[in-house]
Amino acid sequence: MPSPAPNPSGAPDAHRSPAPANPSAADVGTQWAAHHPGLDTSPMELIGLLKHATGLLNRSVEPFYAGAPLTAPELDMLIPLRHATEPFIARSLAERLGLSRAGVSKTLGRLEQRGFIARTPNPADRRAALVTITEAGAKAVDELFPRQLSVEIGLLHGLGEDREWVTEALRRLVAAMEARTDRG
């Protein structure tokens, strides 16, 4: 039986249930370590859990996008624009969402073609257009985002009191990864 997950202070907590194991990641890590003894496989469990959580989230929200006017990535792109008081530039959206500039540019192009955003010349920098959400984009976000949040609330419900420290741990992980990631 795995040991209980540490509480935020790092000490084991007898009142909490054991952290679920990801046997497939552990098994694969063990296999790689056996065949490549010098290879550091330590990231595999954490990264495997992140990928598994992402897959579960995607699978849970996927049905709700069937027939929707936007895809999940498109909605994610529009959410920061919905109540923004100033236009965004693609670079700042890419940084905020942790995505590549090329991917953001491609998604913005599709959103613009369908009338969900507008791009206008930036007087301060001719290379970077100003991006704003249109009325159609705002309507789509207002319709879809609350439904997506409802699914996410259900997925996170099982965390209970652990939600705060899981969130803080993920903030630390994101900060550590951002510090090591070339955003160019």
Side-chain angles (χ1 to χ4, degrees):
M1 172 186 250
S3 61
N7 69 22
S9 69
D13 184 344
H15 301 291
R16 299 213 334 235
S17 60
N22 185 350
S24 61
D27 291 345
V28 172
T30 301
Q31 291 167 352
W32 271 90
H35 287 81
H36 304 277
L39 184 64
D40 180 4
T41 60
S42 62
M44 290 182 75
E45 185 172 15
L46 177 58
I47 300 300
L49 287 168
L50 288 170
K51 288 180 179 182
H52 189 77
T54 300
L56 291 170
L57 172 62
N58 291 340
R59 195 167 59 220
S60 295
V61 300
E62 184 179 306
F64 133 96
Y65 283 99
L70 298 169
T71 65
E74 289 171 340
L75 180 64
D76 288 343
M77 189 81 51
L78 291 176
I79 289 168
L81 297 171
R82 175 58 181 102
H83 296 290
T85 57
E86 299 284 329
F88 273 80
I89 59 173
R91 181 182 65 240
S92 63
L93 270 175
E95 289 173 0
R96 181 178 183 147
L97 298 171
L99 301 172
S100 73
R101 290 182 193 175
V104 167
S105 181
K106 186 176 180 179
T107 301
L108 289 175
R110 288 192 309 263
L111 289 168
E112 183 178 32
Q113 287 175 346
R114 295 192 342 260
F116 292 115
I117 64 147
R119 291 195 265 195
T120 57
N122 182 347
D125 183 354
R126 296 171 74 172
R127 298 167 296 158
L130 299 175
V131 180
T132 55
I133 194 167
T134 63
E135 190 175 316
K139 182 180 177 192
V141 171
D142 291 349
E143 180 183 313
L144 293 173
F145 189 49
R147 291 173 40 204
Q148 179 176 311
L149 282 174
S150 177
V151 171
E152 294 168 354
I153 288 167
L155 287 173
L156 299 176
H157 179 74
L159 284 175
E161 294 177 6
D162 292 338
R163 185 172 172 169
E164 285 184 39
W165 75 261
V166 169
T167 301
E168 182 55 33
L170 288 171
R171 278 191 191 108
R172 291 177 61 197
L173 175 63
V174 167
M177 292 174 81
E178 283 180 339
R180 304 283 302 193
T181 302
D182 176 19
R183 292 180 171 215

